[in-house]
Amino acid sequence: MTEAFSLKAKDPNSRIPEGGIVKFSSDGITRVFNAQGEQILDVRDSNAQMVMTPSGKMIPATHVFSVPEDVIVYNSGNRDYYIRDEKILFIKDFGDEKDGDLVNKIQGLPGPLGNTWVAYAESDSITNPAILTSQLVVPHSPSTSVNILFNGLQPEDGSYIVQPVVAFNYNQHNGNGLRWQNQWTGASWLCDESVTCDHGDPVLAVNEGDTINGAVGRVPLPGPIPDLWVITTTDITSGQSTTYLKFYKTTSPSQVVTTYEIIEGYLDRLKISDTPFTNIVARDTSFNSIPLTMHGQYHLLDHPHLTGLYVDTSQSPSKITIFTDYSFSITTTTEGNGEIKPTEGEIIPSGIYSIKTNEDKEFTITPNSGYIIDNVLVDGQSKGPLSTYSFRLVNPEDMKDHTISAIFKEKTLPAIVPLCQAGEAFDATLYPQGWPQSDPMTFTCDWDGNGRVYVSGSSSELIGTHADDGFTVDTPNGIQFDAEGHYAHQHAPLDITEGMNSGSNTLTLIVRNYMGLSMSYGSSTGIGTDQVPYIVEINDPSMAATMRSIVSTTPQFTPNSTSLEGAAFTENA
């Protein structure tokens, strides 16, 4: 209270004297009397700074009191007694107007837009609670004032609310007489019918990322003694805490109350990161858990910076998150030949993408041809060779910038891959001696584009094909391949790579009878068990090189002879 409001403006500041009385009235003036009943100060409430309070209302600073931790407040009727060491420090007196014109007068004072709870989760009524606890992680700093309130307990008649509070730019003085500017603070509050509010002193300076625990406790006392309310706000990260104690009336024998997790602030300027409330637990006087059924609510449905409200009380402990449009970054990097890109949406050359809270963003990991995914790292943690990964910021630990990195390596392919059977086993009985060629055998064959493609006499090794006399293969690209070394019993593996396409291919194989003999696929003598040729993929360059070397010494058939010149293919090949 400053000299501008003082009736005796001799000192820059006026203090409430020990045993003094602060009296509130519906004429909008707060008056201070000393212990002898002399008026020493009056303050017009409309000239006082407005303070955001847990009640969801802005009330004048003349109705907001900072109470040291060693002071106990005792309520009796329309008076609050502030007691230390069995001495009355001062008294708040509401007279007979507390439930009438005074409430209307205070609540009718002008305040900024958003003079209300912006979004909150409200429980069904619970009976006879003794303790309510929850935690939150201090979010990123906004650009203006905001209160984040949690662990609220309020009787059904709305007569008061008790809450731990985390606030930014709290517009009261700290212990050095300076305002808490650009700083998160924690304090323990009790507001009485939106007429006056108290909070514990000291007010804690807390930081982004700190874990705050809020505990509201009620100790029922016998007879006419009011319940003892204990509100404690603890910064688990720094170890600081602040407590407010008040003996306050019980509104009903069963103490039916509603619990809240709340965010409030200015309508057009509230912009913080998500506010997750976790470990929400209510217990009765026997310390038994009380089930909570929470419902998400908005007072301002069109708030420009709120994007969602996530309420999950199906698990124990419960969790609630109020989502905003605060964005985090996802940085993508690759090592090797491949790419990471959003499954949907624009590709950003820098590889840095933004994600809002409560938003899904999926990334697709794709290797280049000849490479495979070796590993995917998310925030430095190995996830294995994933082809997709989705981010969704719901949990408190997710509310941060993220990284995703993909490592690619060259694909290690089998030396030989069977692609398909080249037609059917040739039946010599269908074609008598002198028959010029077999019926065309058409088949399809899939190829992945790797290695070289051959016609082989086996699906598991690269060997020649027995045929009397020869055969041709027509490929999709219009190229006909003819087995070299006509009239040979065993023809060298036939390289048909240039005629193949990556994907599905349709080929036709025809057995040719150049000598006019009985045609067959068969043994090295051209007689006996039919042989089926195969189309195979060769990925081992040394195997293909060996075959090319063998082909260069392909034996030649000598007419009117049963022998072959050359030893490249033996009868047991």
Side-chain angles (χ1 to χ4, degrees):
M1 298 180 180
T2 64
E3 60 179 340
F5 302 124
S6 176
L7 295 177
K8 299 179 179 180
K10 297 179 180 179
D11 300 317
N13 296 291
S14 297
R15 298 182 179 275
I16 301 172
E18 184 174 308
I21 299 174
V22 179
K23 183 173 179 57
F24 306 99
S25 61
S26 59
D27 61 6
I29 296 177
T30 297
R31 297 173 173 86
V32 180
F33 300 84
N34 62 21
Q36 290 73 43
E38 300 174 326
Q39 182 175 328
I40 60 174
L41 185 72
D42 68 8
V43 180
R44 189 166 298 280
D45 296 331
S46 59
N47 291 335
Q49 183 179 6
M50 302 298 289
V51 178
M52 182 74 78
T53 68
S55 65
K57 300 294 182 182
M58 302 286 286
I59 67 173
T62 49
H63 289 237
V64 179
F65 291 76
S66 177
V67 181
E69 285 188 300
D70 59 351
V71 172
I72 296 177
V73 185
Y74 189 94
N75 171 257
S76 179
N78 287 334
R79 282 192 166 193
D80 283 345
Y81 296 84
Y82 291 75
I83 302 171
R84 174 193 285 157
D85 298 330
E86 300 182 355
K87 292 182 179 180
I88 296 176
L89 297 183
F90 74 96
I91 301 169
K92 286 197 301 191
D93 187 347
F94 304 97
D96 297 326
E97 302 177 289
K98 182 176 180 180
D99 299 322
D101 292 341
L102 179 59
V103 174
N104 295 330
K105 181 72 174 179
I106 295 302
Q107 293 187 354
L109 287 172
L113 290 174
N115 183 10
T116 184
W117 295 343
V118 175
Y120 59 97
E122 176 184 52
S123 77
D124 292 341
S125 296
I126 61 175
T127 301
N128 202 30
I131 190 168
L132 175 69
T133 62
S134 74
Q135 293 180 356
L136 66 80
V137 176
V138 179
H140 288 254
S141 299
S143 57
T144 187
S145 299
V146 61
N147 284 355
I148 296 174
L149 321 169
F150 57 115
N151 293 9
L153 280 179
Q154 184 178 51
E156 289 189 322
D157 62 6
S159 57
Y160 62 91
I161 188 167
V162 289
Q163 283 193 305
V165 175
V166 173
F168 186 79
N169 267 342
Y170 174 58
N171 53 354
Q172 292 294 295
H173 292 283
N174 62 22
N176 298 320
L178 303 174
R179 295 191 184 279
W180 292 104
Q181 293 184 342
N182 300 317
Q183 173 69 53
W184 284 105
T185 57
S188 301
W189 286 71
L190 189 151
C191 289
D192 182 358
E193 296 182 304
S194 300
V195 174
T196 67
C197 288
D198 291 346
H199 66 73
D201 183 39
V203 173
L204 305 180
V206 300
N207 300 308
E208 294 179 19
D210 284 3
T211 298
I212 310 297
N213 187 81
V216 174
R218 180 180 68 89
V219 182
L221 297 173
I225 303 176
D227 293 345
L228 173 62
W229 288 92
V230 182
I231 305 104
T232 302
T233 304
T234 303
D235 185 337
I236 295 176
T237 304
S238 68
Q240 305 176 84
S241 67
T242 182
T243 300
Y244 173 85
L245 302 173
K246 184 171 186 176
F247 289 92
Y248 202 69
K249 64 185 178 182
T250 300
T251 58
S252 64
S254 60
Q255 192 68 333
V256 178
V257 301
T258 301
T259 69
Y260 292 93
E261 306 290 332
I262 306 166
I263 185 171
E264 68 182 17
Y266 295 105
L267 171 65
D268 58 344
R269 291 183 293 171
L270 173 63
K271 187 173 177 64
I272 61 173
S273 56
D274 291 348
T275 306
F277 305 92
T278 59
N279 298 319
I280 304 166
V281 177
R283 299 187 183 278
D284 61 19
T285 53
S286 298
F287 210 66
N288 296 316
S289 177
I290 302 175
L292 294 176
T293 301
M294 308 291 286
H295 309 281
Q297 303 285 340
Y298 288 99
H299 274 165
L300 301 171
L301 290 174
D302 59 348
H303 195 289
H305 297 302
L306 291 177
T307 61
L309 182 62
Y310 174 78
V311 178
D312 181 7
T313 54
S314 62
Q315 301 181 20
S316 180
S318 302
K319 177 172 61 178
I320 297 168
T321 303
I322 296 175
F323 294 107
T324 69
D325 64 355
Y326 193 96
S327 295
F328 296 90
S329 67
I330 300 174
T331 301
T332 63
T333 57
T334 61
E335 180 182 326
N337 288 273
E339 65 177 0
I340 303 177
K341 63 181 181 181
T343 304
E344 298 180 353
E346 179 185 2
I347 299 175
I348 299 176
S350 68
I352 302 175
Y353 297 86
S354 66
I355 180 172
K356 295 179 179 179
T357 53
N358 201 29
E359 178 185 6
D360 289 304
K361 188 174 286 292
E362 182 183 72
F363 289 85
T364 299
I365 301 99
T366 307
N368 293 342
S369 178
Y371 288 80
I372 59 174
I373 303 168
D374 184 32
N375 196 10
V376 173
L377 303 176
V378 176
D379 297 334
Q381 299 298 312
S382 174
K383 300 295 182 181
L386 303 177
S387 58
T388 61
Y389 187 85
S390 293
F391 290 90
R392 188 184 181 203
L393 307 189
V394 174
N395 299 313
E397 60 269 21
D398 297 330
M399 310 304 175
K400 61 182 180 180
D401 295 334
H402 294 274
T403 62
I404 179 170
S405 177
I407 302 172
F408 303 96
K409 66 179 181 180
E410 193 170 358
K411 183 186 296 184
T412 302
L413 300 172
I416 182 168
V417 179
L419 301 181
C420 63
Q421 180 176 306
E424 301 294 332
F426 190 73
D427 187 351
T429 62
L430 297 177
Y431 304 100
Q433 188 171 0
W435 203 264
Q437 66 177 50
S438 69
D439 292 333
M441 291 181 284
T442 300
F443 53 95
T444 59
C445 206
D446 292 333
W447 179 45
D448 60 8
N450 293 310
R452 306 289 296 179
V453 181
Y454 287 86
V455 179
S456 172
S458 170
S459 62
S460 60
E461 56 182 328
L462 187 58
I463 61 174
T465 303
H466 290 100
D468 252 343
D469 291 336
F471 60 89
T472 59
V473 179
D474 293 308
T475 58
N477 290 338
I479 304 174
Q480 184 181 82
F481 293 87
D482 189 356
E484 296 292 338
H486 294 155
Y487 324 129
H489 290 296
Q490 186 181 30
H491 296 270
L494 184 60
D495 188 341
I496 61 171
T497 307
E498 279 65 30
M500 298 288 286
N501 299 315
S502 181
S504 181
N505 295 265
T506 300
L507 303 97
T508 300
L509 185 146
I510 299 175
V511 179
R512 308 289 182 174
N513 188 356
Y514 298 103
M515 292 287 291
L517 303 175
S518 294
M519 295 189 297
S520 70
Y521 290 154
S523 66
S524 59
T525 62
I527 308 169
T529 304
D530 289 340
Q531 174 186 309
V532 180
Y534 292 87
I535 308 297
V536 297
E537 173 188 309
I538 300 299
N539 296 300
D540 184 348
S542 64
M543 183 183 292
T546 299
M547 292 315 304
R548 283 193 295 272
S549 174
I550 293 173
V551 169
S552 67
T553 59
T554 300
Q556 301 297 315
F557 177 77
T558 303
N560 300 317
S561 173
T562 59
S563 64
L564 299 176
E565 295 179 2
F569 300 99
T570 67
E571 292 197 356
N572 294 322

